[in-house]
Amino acid sequence: MGNITLKKVSKSFGATTIIPEIDLQIEDGEFVVFVGPSGCGKSTLLRLIAGLEDTSGGSISIDGRDVTGEAPAKRRLAMVFQSYALYPHMTVYKNIAFPLKMAGEDAAVIDKKVKDAARVLNLTNYLERRPGQLSGGQRQRVAIGRAIVRQPSAFLFDEPLSNLDAALRGTMRLEISELHHQLKTTMIYVTHDQVEAMTMADKIVVLNAGNIEQVGSPMELYKTPKNLFVAGFIGSPKMNLINGTAAAKHGATTIGVRPEHLGISTTSGEWKATVGVAEHLGSDTFLHVQAGDVGTLTVRADGELGVRHGETVYLTPSPNKIHRFGADGRAM
Amino acid sequence: MARAVSTRRKIGFTVAAWVVALLIFFPILYTIITSFKSETEAIAGFSLVPSGTLESYAEVQAQSNYFKFFLNSVVIAVGSTILALLIAIPAAWSMAFSPTKRTKDILMWMLSTKMMPAVAVLVPIYLIFRDANLLDTRIGLTVMLMLINLPIVVWMLYTYFREIPGEILEAARMDGATLWGEIVHVLTPMAVPGIASTMLLNIILAWNEAFWTIRLTTTNAAPLTAFIASFSSPQGLFWAKLSAASTLAIAPILIMGWFSQRQLVRGLTFGAVK
Ligand SMILES: Nc1ncnc2c1ncn2[C@@H]1O[C@H](COP(=O)(O)OP(=O)(O)O)[C@@H](O)[C@H]1O
Ligand SMILES: [Mg+2]
């Protein structure tokens, strides 16, 4: 089981308030991603749940049990750190076995569990190595192995992929998602990368300056962002946010149109624009255009689109895909 | 082309390194060579080839009891190091793992005591030692050297402990380690290399300390530094004898240094080792 409930949880370091007050419900088996810009308090929130930091207020309960004052070890949570935090003086085998040893399991049980984990994580041939003799991806897997052997009620990941190169990041993303499907254990995953959030999460929690901006499934956040922050943060390339008369026409202070919801034509359309840089990705082309009063826009167009720098194009937003925001930045 | 340049460069660096190493080592080497000369050879002028006589060693041994000085050196160097570690480990530990706003200031202040010339406190310390009956005692000297080296020991340990990533300790906590389990299975194995390097370096520093050891001792507690000094003064200069005494005094520490090279290099380049 792995229900986690936060009630009015807050955290200050001295006089600095990092997390004003958060309420959050995480269901058993969910893959929850905390996403937000660097420094917004994601790690702090995760560490509060882990018990590595004391709360300044509010309560945390796991499976209905109040754990607010409990030591990390008692919470039955496992954590994978950004730096991996492997024990450098122990072999891979001993690293993975460590939590079991601390739990006082007997040697035969430990051996079986370590070897099972190693098999799942493709580490069987590396069990006698030290962490220093492994690649980044392998270290990451050892860290995950150390987390899974204990069969915790939830896994906590703090930006586990940020030290890996882009290709490996893609692979590990899949591996972690796959692991979640196999284990069906609650996972809380912290990242500043909205792509990771979108691709992995059942539920995304968007954080900004210690506040929850929105909680929802990836598609909910994509389709109905509650405010400008979420609108700008979720989606790649970023949503175009337009102020002024173009927005007023739709009865809003700001309107948002995703790059993929802009129709492009060389003959006619709502906004006239001059083509700037075009980024060809093969499947898609990202066009950066200058549309007079409307401002600079990004357009996601067909990969085969053949427009040149300086050419004039016409853009039309899909009418039912326009997001309208009021003066307070909230969706209308 | 590029390869040729880099090879030439490598040779250049190697040669330079050897030259510097020889320059630094030369005084020691020449002392050892001179110790195997007779007194007449020794004053005769520069020569790298000694006759190989052991007469200086014999005379040194006859004139004073080397072993007594050696024992004093060992007791004082090892004793002051252990004492310093006992005090410095908890100090550095708390400064590294739960620093306060003043931690940096305290560290600087401790180091600043090393910037003061020792002569400045010679008189008060001498008087304190005299009144406390600590002059020429091993205990007194041990405490003195511990105090002298304590700032450096704390600094070195602090730098080491700071290198132990806090996340690893947190990982251990998450993995269910009790405080004791954390200390035994994670902290100690990671801290031991740093402590060992600090210990070795401090033994060397204490062994070679010559200002206080010579001034605060006469006979009973005199270590090898005083042993060398006793050959440098009275009846003119006897180079060969002095060299033999010096060689005898530095030999133990050189041998220890040789066998613990790796630890020492780690210790001297601390901060640069990951
Ligand atoms: N131990 C601490 N003491 C003081 N400030 C801290 C501490 N830990 C984190 N902070 C501050 O809290 C804020 C949020 O940090 P963090 O949770 O690590 O952000 P994120 O993980 O979202 O990048 C940052 O401004 C950081 O400087
Ligand atoms: Mg973080």
Side-chain angles (χ1 to χ4, degrees):
Chain A
M1 286 290 282
N3 282 298
I4 299 171
T5 311
L6 309 189
K7 284 206 186 100
K8 295 194 189 312
V9 168
S10 62
K11 178 67 185 173
S12 309
F13 289 110
T16 330
T17 301
I18 304 298
I19 295 172
E21 203 173 278
I22 276 185
D23 287 292
L24 183 66
Q25 173 65 39
I26 294 167
E27 305 299 339
D28 183 38
E30 251 183 340
F31 197 121
V32 179
V33 174
F34 294 170
V35 70
S38 194
C40 71
K42 306 178 294 288
S43 298
T44 305
L45 186 56
L46 195 71
R47 293 164 56 81
L48 287 171
I49 296 173
L52 294 171
E53 301 280 0
D54 295 328
T55 53
S56 306
S59 71
I60 300 172
S61 48
I62 300 175
D63 295 330
R65 188 168 53 97
D66 190 333
V67 298
T68 316
E70 265 187 11
K74 296 232 176 93
R75 302 189 183 194
R76 300 200 57 238
L77 305 171
M79 185 146 167
V80 175
F81 293 85
Q82 181 171 357
S83 65
Y84 316 135
L86 300 177
Y87 309 119
H89 55 288
M90 296 184 199
T91 60
V92 169
Y93 183 99
K94 290 207 169 136
N95 263 279
I96 299 177
F98 188 73
L100 299 171
K101 194 171 156 194
M102 290 299 108
E105 301 254 20
D106 57 68
V109 178
I110 294 179
D111 193 62
K112 183 177 178 323
K113 288 189 176 174
V114 171
K115 288 192 170 143
D116 285 348
R119 193 160 342 102
V120 173
L121 294 163
N122 275 324
L123 289 168
T124 307
N125 295 330
Y126 302 98
L127 283 173
E128 291 314 312
R129 295 215 192 160
R130 298 263 172 117
Q133 302 164 303
L134 300 176
S135 71
Q138 289 164 341
R139 284 181 209 184
Q140 184 63 74
R141 283 205 283 268
V142 177
I144 294 173
R146 190 173 62 180
I148 64 177
V149 282
R150 225 162 32 118
Q151 293 162 317
S153 39
F155 292 99
L156 312 176
F157 292 92
D158 192 356
E159 311 224 10
L161 306 185
S162 54
N163 287 341
L164 303 177
D165 63 54
L168 204 50
R169 222 159 31 223
T171 330
M172 286 305 296
R173 212 159 70 199
L174 288 176
E175 282 188 28
I176 294 175
S177 293
E178 186 55 44
L179 198 67
H180 180 243
H181 282 290
Q182 279 176 27
L183 302 173
K184 300 188 170 56
T185 308
T186 310
M187 290 188 175
I188 306 178
Y189 187 105
V190 162
T191 179
H192 63 268
D193 179 355
Q194 61 91 26
V195 175
E196 278 178 23
M198 290 296 282
T199 51
M200 301 172 88
D202 295 324
K203 180 153 99 187
I204 297 179
V205 177
V206 182
L207 289 168
N208 182 26
N211 288 303
I212 295 183
E213 295 282 347
Q214 190 171 357
V215 179
S217 72
M219 285 321 281
E220 273 167 26
L221 298 194
Y222 177 81
K223 284 188 180 150
T224 52
K226 270 193 186 162
N227 53 45
L228 280 173
F229 182 83
V230 178
F233 198 79
I234 299 289
S236 172
K238 271 188 185 340
M239 182 189 279
N240 296 298
L241 296 172
I242 302 154
N243 298 313
T245 48
K249 228 198 264 177
H250 291 272
T253 311
T254 308
I255 56 168
V257 184
R258 295 202 182 276
E260 50 273 42
H261 298 146
L262 277 170
I264 188 164
S265 154
T266 47
T267 51
S268 66
E270 195 169 333
W271 300 322
K272 186 180 172 188
T274 312
V275 175
V277 173
E279 296 174 287
H280 295 281
L281 301 183
S283 58
D284 299 296
T285 301
F286 297 153
L287 286 180
H288 300 275
V289 305
Q290 180 57 45
D293 282 351
V294 176
T296 312
L297 300 176
T298 308
V299 185
R300 178 178 198 154
D302 193 84
E304 311 279 327
L305 185 80
V307 292
R308 278 199 215 97
H309 196 276
E311 273 183 5
T312 300
V313 292
Y314 296 88
L315 303 172
T316 311
S318 317
N320 54 353
K321 295 282 166 68
I322 297 173
H323 304 268
R324 298 157 64 235
F325 300 95
D328 57 358
R330 292 173 173 282
M332 295 166 69
Chain B
M1 242 340 252
R3 180 166 288 259
V5 171
S6 87
T7 314
R8 206 180 305 159
R9 228 180 190 210
K10 222 167 165 181
I11 293 171
F13 272 125
T14 311
V15 170
W18 272 98
V19 169
V20 170
L22 270 178
L23 272 177
I24 293 172
F25 185 64
F26 188 74
I28 295 174
L29 182 68
Y30 200 67
T31 304
I32 296 172
I33 290 173
T34 307
S35 73
F36 291 106
K37 292 176 179 173
S38 65
E39 278 317 331
T40 26
E41 267 181 280
I43 53 166
F46 183 80
S47 156
L48 286 174
V49 199
S51 59
T53 171
L54 291 177
E55 76 190 39
S56 312
Y57 285 95
E59 266 179 64
V60 164
Q61 185 53 33
Q63 205 167 322
S64 60
N65 184 359
Y66 169 77
F67 191 71
K68 200 186 100 200
F69 291 96
F70 171 78
L71 207 64
N72 280 335
S73 270
V74 171
V75 169
I76 291 163
V78 174
S80 72
T81 301
I82 290 173
L83 218 57
L85 285 175
L86 283 180
I87 295 171
I89 289 175
W93 195 267
S94 71
M95 284 194 276
F97 288 109
S98 25
T100 65
K101 267 185 255 163
R102 295 260 169 274
T103 298
K104 284 269 169 216
D105 300 338
I106 292 174
L107 279 165
M108 270 323 286
W109 170 75
M110 286 198 298
L111 201 65
S112 72
T113 61
K114 294 295 290 176
M115 295 167 191
M116 177 186 62
V119 198
V121 287
L122 176 58
V123 174
I125 287 192
Y126 188 88
L127 294 179
I128 291 170
F129 264 59
R130 191 195 59 193
D131 296 346
N133 284 326
L134 286 172
L135 282 177
D136 203 23
T137 61
R138 286 175 180 175
I139 293 265
L141 217 52
T142 304
V143 169
M144 190 63 205
L145 288 196
M146 180 273 284
L147 291 171
I148 295 279
N149 290 327
L150 195 58
I152 291 175
V153 175
V154 172
W155 260 87
M156 278 188 72
L157 289 175
Y158 170 77
T159 320
Y160 273 119
F161 292 166
R162 275 263 308 255
E163 271 187 30
I164 298 177
E167 279 198 345
I168 291 188
L169 305 187
E170 292 180 343
R173 235 165 284 162
M174 293 294 298
D175 283 343
T178 56
L179 181 61
W180 184 240
E182 208 179 308
I183 291 172
V184 172
H185 298 290
V186 183
L187 285 180
T188 311
M190 295 208 311
V192 157
I195 295 174
S197 302
T198 309
M199 190 182 78
L200 285 171
L201 209 67
N202 196 64
I203 288 179
I204 294 175
L205 285 178
W207 188 277
N208 293 336
E209 205 289 325
F211 184 82
W212 295 105
T213 48
I214 290 174
R215 275 162 192 81
L216 298 179
T217 59
T218 43
T219 46
N220 292 331
L224 287 169
T225 43
F227 170 77
I228 301 179
S230 71
F231 284 95
S232 68
S233 35
Q235 327 91 345
L237 285 173
F238 295 92
W239 288 116
K241 236 170 15 174
L242 183 59
S243 296
S246 300
T247 307
L248 282 172
I250 59 173
I253 208 72
L254 269 185
I255 292 167
M256 187 197 91
W258 181 264
F259 281 110
S260 52
Q261 265 186 64
R262 285 183 54 162
Q263 274 304 328
L264 269 179
V265 170
R266 253 201 69 128
L268 290 166
T269 55
F270 62 97
V273 184
K274 270 271 133 58

